[in-house]
Amino acid sequence: MHNVLIAGASRGIGLGLTRASLERGDRVYAVARNPNGEALAELQRQYPERLIVIAGDLTAADVARPIEAALQAQALDILLFNAGIMGPQHQDVAQATPDELATLFLTNAVAPMRLARQLAGRVRLGGVIAFMSSQMGSVALARSAEMPLYGASKAALNSLLQSWDRSAERPQACLLALHPGWVRTDMGGDQATLDVATSAAGLLASLDAHLDANGCHFLDYQQQPLPW
Ligand SMILES: NC(=O)c1ccc[n+]([C@@H]2O[C@H](COP(=O)([O-])OP(=O)(O)OC[C@H]3O[C@@H](n4cnc5c(N)ncnc54)[C@H](OP(=O)(O)O)[C@@H]3O)[C@@H](O)[C@H]2O)c1
């Protein structure tokens, strides 16, 4: 059994990861802006002992506080930042407002990294700290022509992760940027090739495979490396 924290667990891939972790026996700390949603409530009824739901918006400066309180003395094996947004529908640098840009880059890049640094001490030696990135964040692949603002926000996340990896404050954990595949969620849409359960199972296998491992890696849900 692992202790897993999933930030952004209310729906989509985060909810799928929460369900898959509970099904295999993990204790899951699920952070959600709306902790009273029906999907999490149903899981709470099924797993009252092992699911701890924490109310928190990742972009709030003090979100670490309720998380620390819920963790008590428990060390984490896996700390996963899943929450993300697409940004404005237009995806146009010329039209984007300061508010749109601030929300996008704060949510997808700065807030998860800030919270990761605050919570890193709660991850056990040899644990994994992972961030839901996207292949669209790969500068080398250059696949974000249709979603340039979203791609840039995930590239920013990847860049912050690489900077952390090379910094004096680097934690004693394996660092991962993950691409979940193209998944049928509110964000991925109906035409996406993967269902949530398949992506979540692959992502969990990737996380497990990097327990007690080293380095900083960019991988897809099938553990295939992606170029930064
Ligand atoms: N679906 C894909 O094909 C795909 C592909 C590549 C990468 N990704 C990445 O995978 C992750 C999950 O995507 P998804 O498809 O599951 O998206 P989704 O269905 O739109 O779900 C997004 C999740 O993030 C949460 N969230 C957003 N902003 C938050 C905040 N400030 N604080 C707390 N939670 C917040 C949402 O919570 P609320 O319910 O409160 O809004 C929701 O649980 C994202 O990082 C996304 O960029 C997805």
Side-chain angles (χ1 to χ4, degrees):
M1 182 192 87
H2 297 316
N3 290 322
V4 180
L5 188 144
I6 300 172
S10 61
R11 58 194 166 90
I13 297 166
L15 179 66
L17 282 162
T18 300
R19 179 175 288 118
S21 293
L22 289 165
E23 281 170 356
R24 70 181 198 172
D26 294 339
R27 176 184 290 116
V28 181
Y29 297 87
V31 182
R33 285 193 284 207
N34 173 13
N36 303 315
E38 185 43 42
L40 278 178
E42 175 58 32
L43 286 177
Q44 187 101 72
R45 283 192 284 276
Q46 274 180 274
Y47 304 99
E49 304 291 322
R50 289 189 286 108
L51 175 60
I52 298 97
V53 180
I54 305 165
D57 182 325
L58 234 67
T59 61
D62 61 352
V63 66
R65 206 178 305 150
I67 297 174
E68 295 269 12
L71 285 174
Q72 299 176 1
Q74 201 72 60
L76 293 168
D77 300 282
I78 294 170
L79 173 57
L80 172 63
F81 296 90
N82 167 74
I85 57 173
M86 187 80 87
Q89 201 63 44
H90 57 71
Q91 289 286 307
D92 181 357
V93 289
Q95 286 183 55
T97 66
D99 277 355
E100 286 173 340
L101 294 171
T103 302
L104 176 62
F105 281 81
L106 179 62
T107 305
N108 285 4
V110 176
M113 194 56 59
R114 178 173 65 192
L115 186 55
R117 290 172 56 160
Q118 289 167 335
L119 296 178
R122 308 306 299 258
V123 177
R124 74 159 169 86
L125 210 67
V128 172
I129 303 177
F131 299 83
M132 206 62 84
S133 182
S134 168
Q135 65 173 359
M136 290 197 194
S138 166
V139 175
L141 290 176
R143 285 191 187 148
S144 62
E146 288 175 13
M147 281 190 269
L149 294 178
Y150 173 76
S153 71
K154 293 294 188 180
L157 171 67
N158 288 0
S159 173
L160 289 171
L161 179 58
Q162 288 181 292
S163 297
W164 196 29
D165 177 48
R166 285 158 179 75
S167 75
E169 289 87 43
R170 190 202 190 286
Q172 298 285 304
C174 186
L175 302 178
L176 298 179
L178 296 170
H179 169 58
W182 185 24
V183 189
R184 287 191 293 278
T185 62
D186 292 339
M187 184 187 289
D190 295 343
Q191 303 304 311
T193 47
L194 283 177
D195 60 30
V196 167
T198 304
S199 173
L203 291 165
L204 274 187
S206 299
L207 292 162
D208 284 352
H210 289 83
L211 285 166
D212 300 307
N214 295 314
C216 177
H217 312 281
F218 187 15
L219 304 168
D220 73 8
Y221 74 105
Q222 295 176 310
Q223 299 185 47
Q224 295 303 307
L226 290 168
W228 297 97

